[in-house]
């Protein structure tokens, strides 16, 4: 019996496999300019965001720096105010003379309490300064005279132990208009005094109508050393 399945012929060749060409996407056509406004908008947004971020950083930096410094400065100012508030001192501004005050003053200069400066020193009846703290004080007075008068003009600082105590002259100063063409002369005095609590000081002149009452011309004060 003949085997029909066997043959001496070689097997038929395998057909070659063809490589598939890659699918190429079509290149985009030329832009018609519709994307440019969007691109510009995005650039503006990014730029504004960067500027706001930078500004916020600078603000926070300076705010933090001020927050660290402010307490120290506030503490220094507080200490300074406490120190100055405990200093016993007074700088009195003279009060302009009127017919009524001239009769009541009897030669004692009246002080404008509202425009004067005082700390830990009281006043009594507009003319006297009352010491509250005992100690050594520098007391000064400056009285300017602006009208002619025969003989020298005197300015006295008077002291009394209390409101009802006997008065005594503790400081004296004189000036003489003489032949001064400007018609002004100033009696100035200053001295260190040991004062007790309750002591009172005032300035007395012979004639109140001869005093120059312009600002800064006549003054009286004291401060504790």
């Amino acid at each position: 019996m003949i085997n029909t399945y066997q043959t001496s012929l070689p097997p038929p060749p395998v057909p070659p496999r063809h490589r598939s060409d890659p699918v190429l996407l079509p290149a985009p056509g030329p832009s018609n300019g519709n994307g440019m406004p969007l691109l510009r908008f995005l650039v503006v947004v990014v730029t504004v965001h960067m500027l706001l971020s930078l500004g916020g950083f600078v603000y926070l930096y300076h705010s933090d720096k001020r927050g660290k410094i402010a307490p120290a400065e506030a503490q220094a100012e507080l200490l300074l105010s406490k120190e100055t508030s405990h200093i016993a001192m007074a700088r009195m501004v003279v009060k302009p003379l009127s017919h009524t005050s001239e009769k009541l003053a009897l030669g004692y200069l009246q002080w404008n309490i509202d425009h004067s400066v005082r700390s830990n020193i009281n006043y009594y009846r507009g003319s006297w300064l009352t010491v509250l703290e005992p100690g050594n004080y520098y007391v000064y007075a400056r009285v300017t005279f602006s009208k002619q008068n025969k003989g020298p003009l005197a300015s006295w600082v008077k002291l009394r132990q209390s409101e009802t105590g006997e008065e005594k002259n503790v400081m004296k100063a004189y000036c003489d208009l003489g032949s001064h063409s400007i018609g002004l002369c100033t009696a100035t005095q200053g001295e260190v005094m040991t004062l007790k609590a309750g002591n009172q000081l005032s300035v007395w002149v012979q004639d109140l109508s001869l005093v120059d009452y312009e600002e800064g011309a006549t003054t009286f004060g004291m401060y504790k050393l």
Side-chain angles (χ1 to χ4, degrees):
M1 186 173 185
I2 300 173
N3 187 2
T4 58
Y5 292 99
Q6 294 180 355
T7 179
S8 60
L9 294 176
V14 178
R17 297 180 179 178
H18 296 282
R19 295 181 181 178
S20 59
D21 294 335
V23 179
L24 300 178
L25 297 176
S31 175
N32 55 4
N34 293 333
M36 290 304 295
L38 178 60
L39 180 61
R40 292 174 181 174
F41 174 75
L42 292 176
V43 172
V44 172
V45 170
V46 173
T47 303
V48 172
H49 178 72
M50 292 179 61
L51 292 176
L52 291 177
S53 301
L54 180 61
F57 173 78
V58 174
Y59 173 78
L60 292 176
Y61 173 77
H62 287 286
S63 298
D64 181 68
K65 189 175 181 180
R66 287 196 298 267
K68 294 180 180 179
I69 298 176
E73 294 178 349
Q75 185 177 6
E77 292 179 358
L78 180 61
L79 292 175
L80 181 61
S81 63
K82 288 182 177 180
E83 291 178 358
T84 54
S85 64
H86 287 80
I87 296 177
M89 57 81 63
R91 183 185 184 279
M92 310 306 293
V93 176
V94 69
K95 187 176 182 179
L97 183 66
S98 64
H99 295 292
T100 303
S101 61
E102 184 177 5
K103 294 179 181 179
L104 297 176
L106 299 176
Y108 295 95
L109 290 176
Q110 300 286 306
W111 308 110
N112 191 330
I113 303 303
D114 294 335
H115 292 82
S116 300
V117 179
R118 294 178 299 105
S119 176
N120 296 325
I121 292 179
N122 279 346
Y123 66 92
Y124 178 73
R125 292 189 176 179
S127 294
W128 296 86
L129 293 180
T130 304
V131 177
L132 300 179
E133 300 178 5
N136 295 325
Y137 287 79
Y138 179 76
V139 181
Y140 66 91
R142 181 175 69 249
V143 180
T144 300
F145 299 95
S146 60
K147 295 183 180 180
Q148 295 289 341
N149 185 62
K150 294 181 180 180
L153 299 168
S155 168
W156 298 353
V157 174
K158 292 181 176 288
L159 168 67
R160 62 187 184 188
Q161 299 299 319
S162 62
E163 296 177 5
T164 58
E166 182 180 357
E167 301 175 10
K168 64 177 181 179
N169 300 325
V170 291
M171 296 168 61
K172 295 181 181 180
Y174 300 90
C175 71
D176 190 355
L177 290 170
S179 59
H180 292 194
S181 59
I182 59 176
L184 294 170
C185 71
T186 301
T188 304
Q189 49 195 320
E191 188 174 333
V192 176
M193 299 182 185
T194 301
L195 302 174
K196 300 178 181 179
N199 287 177
Q200 293 186 331
L201 295 167
S202 186
V203 180
W204 182 88
V205 296
Q206 295 169 319
D207 191 343
L208 292 173
S209 64
L210 302 178
V211 176
D212 184 359
Y213 292 95
E214 291 187 5
E215 183 178 358
T218 300
T219 186
F220 173 53
M222 57 191 297
Y223 58 87
K224 187 178 181 181
L225 301 177

